[in-house]
């Protein structure tokens, strides 16, 4: 079973307590009516789907109930890091160099 | 069947009498005032519990607490929070009837908890409580002592959780 670190509980807990909630850092356009249909479609439906590091939202639904963000490698399924909602994407290269 | 259960002293499952229960949400600015209203200091840090008399408060999330108290104190709590509402915005929701509570005690209580809860329960030290999952159902799991747990279970999930506990207990009794 995957273990996920919740940045609010500050504990590493079983995946069963968490729910996946889609890609992270997708900002709702400030003025949707100014967008073309294609831009609106991209906002609603088009996701990066990378092979490698993916920034995504998770919710500690059976726990503190908070949403937070995670960087996960979609090839190995390993969580690289987790961080609180609202924080900037962590610089993973620098993090790796430090380790 | 009933006799068999009584013959197995290693774990006991009991239904507890109802308590008054509240869900309290309050921001950082109002935390001290809300604690004072309950006559205690609200615990910070998920899973920490603070007790005052027969009241207990557990921190479930960064701005969320579960308050339990004897049923006789229910109205006093509601009234006390109503008086601070204009100064200290908060949400106090009575959820007494939402959950049933089971108490699981005995040397095999820990083992019985592991049949439904995926957490490493050795890290949930006595005196703390967490919201977690028990075979798919959200529960509040209180660890009152090394071998004493309480489970607050939403009513609609309670028959399922209770059946699972009884089955687990029967299996432990049979030496499985
Ligand atoms: Zn959490």
């Amino acid at each position: 079973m995957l273990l996920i670190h919740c940045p609010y509980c500050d504990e590493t807990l079983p995946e069963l307590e968490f729910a996946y909630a889609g890609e992270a850092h997708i900002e709702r356009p400030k003025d949707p009516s100014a967008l073309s249909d294609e831009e609106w479609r991209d906002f609603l439906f088009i996701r990066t789907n990378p092979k490698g590091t993916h920034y995504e939202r998770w919710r500690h639904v059976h726990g503190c109930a908070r949403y937070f963000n995670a960087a996960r490698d979609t090839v190995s399924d390993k969580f690289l890091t987790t961080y609180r909602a609202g924080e900037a994407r962590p610089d993973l290269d620098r993090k790796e160099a430090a380790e | 069947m009933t006799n068999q259960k009584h013959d197995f002293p290693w774990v006991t499952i009991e239904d507890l009498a109802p308590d008054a229960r509240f869900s309290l949400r309050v921001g950082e600015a109002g935390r001290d005032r809300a604690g004072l209203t309950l006559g205690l200091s609200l615990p910070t840090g998920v899973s920490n519990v603070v007790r005052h008399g027969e009241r207990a408060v557990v921190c479930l999330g960064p701005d969320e607490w579960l308050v339990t108290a004897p049923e006789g104190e229910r109205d006093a709590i509601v009234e006390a929070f109503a008086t601070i509402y204009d100064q200290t915005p908060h949400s106090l929701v009575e959820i007494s009837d939402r959950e049933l509570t089971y108490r699981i005690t005995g040397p095999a209580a820990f083992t019985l908890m592991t049949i439904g809860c995926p957490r490493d329960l050795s890290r949930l030290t006595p005196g703390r409580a967490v919201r977690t999952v028990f075979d798919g159902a959200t529960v509040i799991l209180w660890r009152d002592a090394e071998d004493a747990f309480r489970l607050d279970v939403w009513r609609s999930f309670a028959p399922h959780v209770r059946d699972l506990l009884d089955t687990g207990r029967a299996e432990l009794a049979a030496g499985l």
Side-chain angles (χ1 to χ4, degrees):
Chain A
M1 188 184 297
L2 279 174
L3 295 174
I4 302 174
H5 185 264
C6 173
Y8 293 99
C9 294
D10 197 22
E11 272 202 89
T12 302
L13 298 163
E15 184 194 356
L16 284 177
E17 289 195 356
F18 297 84
Y20 177 69
E23 187 170 352
H25 302 293
I26 291 173
E27 200 176 332
R28 184 183 169 85
K30 297 268 183 298
D31 183 9
S33 57
L35 266 55
S36 68
D37 286 353
E38 287 71 25
E39 287 169 323
W40 185 242
R41 173 205 62 196
D42 288 354
F43 161 68
L44 286 180
F45 302 116
I46 306 301
R47 297 294 178 258
T48 52
N49 193 27
K51 181 177 181 183
T53 305
H54 188 226
Y55 294 88
E56 54 199 22
R57 301 174 79 218
W58 283 78
R59 187 180 181 208
H60 191 189
V61 58
H62 300 295
C64 65
R66 283 298 172 115
Y67 284 92
F68 59 91
N69 294 334
R72 182 178 58 93
D73 189 311
T74 59
V75 178
S76 66
D77 209 18
K78 280 216 167 77
F79 280 76
L80 306 171
T81 188
T82 57
Y83 51 103
R84 293 179 176 215
E87 288 179 3
R89 271 171 220 248
D91 184 345
L92 293 171
D93 292 336
R94 193 160 4 124
K95 214 173 145 63
E96 259 166 48
E99 275 165 10
Chain B
M1 193 65 190
T2 312
N3 284 335
Q4 191 185 4
K5 282 180 184 174
H6 287 291
D7 289 343
F8 183 64
W10 304 110
V11 59
T12 308
I13 307 164
E14 299 161 90
D15 298 299
L16 294 189
D19 263 339
R21 272 193 273 253
F22 297 92
S23 169
L24 172 66
R25 305 288 303 261
V26 61
E28 208 170 333
R31 190 186 293 162
D32 291 347
R33 193 81 181 84
L36 223 58
T37 307
L38 285 167
L40 45 80
S41 160
L42 289 183
T44 54
V46 172
S47 84
N48 290 321
V49 177
V50 166
R51 290 186 173 77
H52 174 70
E54 288 184 87
R55 294 179 182 179
V57 180
V58 54
C59 181
L60 294 180
D63 62 0
E64 182 183 2
W65 289 268
L66 170 69
V67 179
T68 67
E71 283 200 305
E73 294 181 21
R74 174 201 328 254
D75 295 346
I77 291 173
V78 172
E79 281 159 26
F81 273 91
T83 63
I84 67 161
Y85 191 72
D86 53 347
Q87 304 282 328
T88 310
H90 65 271
S91 146
L92 182 81
V93 179
E94 199 201 332
I95 52 167
S96 308
D97 208 33
R98 189 178 71 179
E99 285 137 317
L100 303 177
T101 304
Y102 301 125
R103 181 161 60 200
I104 299 99
T105 48
F110 184 96
T111 310
L112 187 59
M113 288 297 96
T114 63
I115 68 169
C117 185
R119 280 200 177 219
D120 177 1
L121 290 176
S122 64
R123 287 166 57 196
L124 180 66
T125 45
R128 290 162 64 214
V130 287
R131 182 161 49 204
T132 179
V133 66
F134 198 87
D135 197 50
T138 291
V139 297
I140 313 280
L141 174 64
W142 303 74
R143 188 165 195 187
D144 296 321
E146 281 295 333
D147 54 7
F149 296 85
R150 263 177 300 143
L151 274 182
D152 297 344
V153 188
W154 284 42
R155 271 179 186 280
S156 52
F157 297 114
H160 168 66
V161 170
R162 181 65 205 238
D163 278 356
L164 193 68
L165 289 172
D166 286 337
T167 304
R169 189 181 181 283
E171 289 188 353
L172 290 170
L176 293 175

